[in-house]
Amino acid sequence: MEISTLATYHCLAFVWYFFVAYSVTHVKTEEPPSEVFLYGGQWKYLTVLNLVLQAVFYGVSFLADVLRLIKKLRCAKCVISSRDLLFSVLAFPLSTFVFISFWTLYTYNRELVYPKSLDGVIPLWLNHAMHTAVFPLALLEILALPHRYPAKKKGLILLGFVAFLYISWVLWIYSVTGEWVYPLFALFSPSGLAAFFAGSLAVIISCYNFGEFLNRMIWGQSKFSS
C-alpha cells in the first residue's frame, strides 16, 4: 500500500476511534442503570480503555506515515518501532480479546457483562463500534502493512504486565466500592475468580500468538516496514 494511502487510512481510523471514545465517555443519562456505579468513571471498563489505546495507536501510525512522506526517515524509524510494539503487544491482542470475550459472554447471558438496562443508555451502533468493529479493523491493519514483532518473551512479559495492571485496577475498585466492574465476577469464589483471570490471560496470550501468526503468514519472516 502506498504511504499516502496508508496515511489517509490511519488518519481516518484515528478520527473514528477518537469519535467513538468521545461518544462513550460523554454518554448522558438522567437515571444511570442500577448496575452502573460512578467510581472510576468509564475508565474501569476494558472496552473503553481499548478504544483509547486504538486511538493512540492509529495516531502514532499516522505520525509515522507523515514522517515517511516528508522524508524524515530517522525520526520515522523510531516512531515505526513504537507503532509496531503498540500493535503487536497491545492493540491487536486487546481488540481481539474484547471482541471474543464480550460476544461469548453476551451470547451466554448478557446480564453478566452488558445488562439490558444499558440498551436505553448506549445506542446499538455504539455498542457495535466498541465491541464488534474493533476486530475487523485490527485484521485490516495486519493486511495493510507488516509489523515487526518483539522477541516472544519480551512481548508476553509486556502483555502480562498490562494485564496485571488492569486486574489490579479491577480489584482496587472492588476493595473501595464493594462492587465488581462486571456483574460476572460476583458469581465466583476467590479461587474461582483467580482461575477466571488466569483463563482470560491464556485467551489474550492466544490472541497475541494469533496476531503474530497472521503477520508471519501474510508478510513472511523478513518483510517489515522501514
Side-chain angles (χ1 to χ4, degrees), residues 83-84 141-148 215 219 223-225:
R83 178 203 69 190
D84 288 348
E141 176 66 20
I142 283 187
L143 293 171
L145 73 163
H147 297 82
R148 185 180 295 278
N215 188 71
W219 298 104
K223 185 179 179 182
F224 294 101
S225 299

Side-chain angles (χ1 to χ4, degrees), residues 1-219:
M1 191 180 290
E2 294 292 329
I3 298 177
S4 57
T5 306
L6 278 174
T8 302
Y9 154 62
H10 284 140
C11 181
L12 290 174
F14 167 74
V15 171
W16 165 251
Y17 274 115
F18 183 88
F19 168 70
V20 174
Y22 179 86
S23 299
V24 172
T25 55
H26 287 77
V27 167
K28 296 186 182 300
T29 177
E30 294 182 2
E31 191 73 29
S34 59
E35 297 88 352
V36 177
F37 55 97
L38 298 179
Y39 189 89
Q42 300 280 13
W43 311 111
K44 57 181 172 286
Y45 299 112
L46 185 61
T47 296
V48 177
L49 296 174
N50 180 56
L51 292 174
V52 174
L53 169 67
Q54 300 303 319
V56 170
F57 164 70
Y58 283 106
V60 172
S61 298
F62 177 61
L63 175 60
D65 298 334
V66 170
L67 290 173
R68 292 174 70 190
L69 281 171
I70 63 177
K71 307 300 182 183
K72 298 290 186 180
L73 298 182
R74 181 174 297 180
C75 293
K77 186 175 181 180
C78 179
V79 177
I80 287 171
S81 295
S82 299
R83 178 203 69 190
D84 288 348
L85 189 65
L86 268 175
F87 181 77
S88 60
V89 174
L90 294 177
F92 184 87
L94 283 183
S95 289
T96 307
F97 178 79
V98 165
F99 173 79
I100 292 173
S101 60
F102 177 82
W103 288 112
T104 298
L105 293 169
Y106 186 98
T107 302
Y108 174 70
N109 181 355
R110 65 169 298 176
E111 295 299 318
L112 297 177
V113 65
Y114 192 84
K116 192 172 180 59
S117 57
L118 290 178
D119 289 345
V121 177
I122 299 176
L124 181 62
W125 74 266
L126 189 52
N127 180 23
H128 283 292
M130 293 188 294
H131 300 116
T132 307
V134 291
F135 181 58
L137 285 174
L139 289 178
L140 180 59
E141 176 66 20
I142 283 187
L143 293 171
L145 73 163
H147 297 82
R148 185 180 295 278
Y149 272 67
K152 178 64 70 72
K153 182 178 180 180
K154 177 183 177 182
L156 293 181
I157 287 175
L158 289 174
L159 178 59
F161 178 69
V162 172
F164 172 77
L165 288 180
Y166 181 68
I167 291 172
S168 298
W169 173 227
V170 168
L171 294 175
W172 169 259
I173 290 173
Y174 178 74
S175 71
V176 172
T177 67
E179 300 282 349
W180 287 111
V181 172
Y182 299 102
L184 169 70
F185 296 161
L187 301 178
F188 295 108
S189 65
S191 58
L193 189 62
F196 178 82
F197 285 147
S200 298
L201 183 59
V203 172
I204 202 170
I205 288 173
S206 297
C207 294
Y208 174 95
N209 289 329
F210 178 58
E212 186 179 37
F213 169 77
L214 287 179
N215 188 71
R216 184 174 65 251
M217 290 298 294
I218 294 170
W219 298 104

